[in-house]
Amino acid sequence: MGNALPEIKEVTGLKKAKVTIHPEYAIGPIDKRLFSGYMEPLGNLVYGGIWNPDHPEADELGLRKDVMKAIQEFGVPAVRLPGGNVTSGWNWKDSIGPKEKRKQHLDLAWRQYEPNWVGHDEYLAWARRCGMEPMYTVNMGTGTIEDAMHCIEYTNHPGGTYWSDLRRINGFTAPHNVKTWYLGNEMDGPWQIHSWEKDPKGYGVKINEAAKALKWVDPSITTVASGTSTPLNHTYPQWDVDVLEECYENIDMLSLHYYHNVPEGDMAAFMSAPAVFEEFIRTEIAACDFVQAKLCSPKQITISFDEFGVGFAPAGKTAPGRKGRIPHETYGEFSEQNLNRPFREIDPNHWPERKGKNKGSQMLGAIASAAVMMTFLRHSDRIKIGCMTGSFLGALSINREHVWKSIGYYPFKHYLEYANGISLLPSVKSPSFCADGFNINEFYQCHPYENIPYIQAGAAYDEEKGELSIFLLNLNWEEAMEVELDVRGFEGYRLKEHIELYSNDPSAADTWENPDAVLPKKNSNTSFHDGKIELTAQKLSWNVIRLTKE
């Protein structure tokens, strides 16, 4: 996020909101993979972050044990890897076997030399050692169907074939047993190597055959088609319809991505993220259901929202009349300036200072990410996988020496611990705000939104355990709000605790030197009587209200 952080004002006279939660308002079961991560060798995330053979806690593969321990304690259930844009030009076969024999290539996605020190097997071994289910992306840009077939045979087949025995020779006797396979990344994007932007039906035909072949190797897998990478593409949403019409028989899920970057300091636009994601999700569900109806298929496609983010970005240039066409130069690494710079040498011990939109307020980032994940929770019947970009870096901070919890750790962890059972749809009556439209560049723009509720809510009901967890956000950046929770439908339940997370200082951060600057705490002033809970939601706060059956 940008450096222009807004001033948080003190305002008296609290607004009031009401939220009703009832066990009959069921949405659908919650897949634990809804709160997962995404990994790509960008910056120091891989080289230096998860892997550094010079680190004092490196294991025999060069993987950092301090980072693995932190992720194990965090409990992230799954991770999508090895990318990302990098996969459209990556050859997995050049990343296996002895490191001294691996091939170094140009990574055109991020303009760096890819030495393949962390390769196919290391990625999968790292995920398993962290306690995460690996979800693998195959190259459907420059990659062939045959390459994908060899990849799953090497990865999942027990042995007795060339590729599966090669895995065993390389030191991985047991199959990696990867169950979720993504067929390409952002293939609608003109920034991809071998983009299918102009031929969605061709991409659909290719992945239909690829998915069929992968399932013939391992019938237990789930296959995921690459869908819209941003609703600003001129192909949206027709791209998804054209793709799915060609591959519906052999595809199980549709992958979506979106980054909601707004003008620096525009808090209304920043906090409009739930409304923007909601509109995108509803449109994509409608596209999936249209194809299902058109093909008269009994199968319902679900969604993997496996890249997302919210941040501030500096103003750029726009070209009127493009009608959503996104030129390469709009997409950071492909600007004329960046294309003229030399390729970067990878050094896991070199950590450049973070600048620009990726540096900013931990607190605002935590609220925004929690709001997006809450939107996923409210669509748990159709969204089964959600992956925060940077895998765990919205929650865990890493430098060359250390790993520690950032503020974003706590909402993410609360979802992992308490979002169990089925999702319930809250009825929310709240004061609202409006967000102006903006046009930073062709890649980051948005139309105006009206009547966005300050109070955002989600709920998880585990009837078997007798637990109800209500997740509550106050997006109001100027004042606290009084909230009444009507839970009279849960007779015999008692209030167990109200956990809140907030800070009056938008620049506050949990650092290695000061890890306890902002922590969640119990609110003992919250009351419960006659089936109603009364609480104060602080400005820009995250709240978890837990009830248990007596």
Side-chain angles (χ1 to χ4, degrees), residues 5 354 359-366 397 404-408 410 501-519:
L5 297 175
R354 296 179 66 193
K359 179 181 179 182
S361 168
Q362 282 189 14
M363 191 68 228
L364 293 181
S397 295
W404 66 94
K405 300 172 185 176
S406 60
I407 298 174
Y410 300 103
L501 177 72
Y502 72 95
S503 173
N504 287 325
D505 179 6
S507 64
D510 290 344
T511 64
W512 172 254
E513 295 78 14
N514 185 17
D516 300 333
V518 181
L519 295 175

Side-chain angles (χ1 to χ4, degrees), residues 143-177:
T144 66
I145 295 175
E146 185 178 42
D147 285 333
M149 291 167 56
H150 294 164
C151 185
I152 192 171
E153 183 180 324
Y154 178 94
T155 305
N156 282 8
H157 198 68
T161 67
Y162 172 81
W163 290 107
S164 60
D165 285 345
L166 182 59
R167 182 197 70 244
R168 297 168 66 90
I169 292 171
N170 288 337
F172 298 87
T173 304
H176 292 297
N177 199 29

Side-chain angles (χ1 to χ4, degrees), residues 180-223:
T180 303
W181 291 78
Y182 292 83
L183 301 177
N185 173 78
E186 296 184 355
M187 302 313 302
D188 65 321
W191 52 86
Q192 291 298 313
I193 302 174
H194 201 308
S195 166
W196 292 88
E197 173 197 13
K198 298 179 180 180
D199 188 11
K201 289 189 176 291
Y203 168 69
V205 169
K206 180 178 180 178
I207 66 168
N208 182 66
E209 295 304 313
K212 180 174 66 177
L214 294 181
K215 288 183 175 180
W216 285 357
V217 175
D218 185 348
S220 68
I221 68 168
T222 295
T223 54

Side-chain angles (χ1 to χ4, degrees), residues 227-231 236-241 244 254-257 277-290 301 303 305 382:
T228 292
S229 54
T230 171
Y236 168 77
Q238 189 62 42
W239 162 271
D240 304 85
V241 172
L244 288 175
L254 183 70
S255 167
L256 302 179
H257 298 171
F277 277 84
E278 179 73 27
E279 180 182 357
F280 184 25
I281 291 166
R282 287 182 180 273
T283 300
E284 290 294 334
I285 290 174
C288 293
D289 290 349
F290 169 75
I301 294 291
I303 290 172
F305 212 122
R382 299 301 293 273

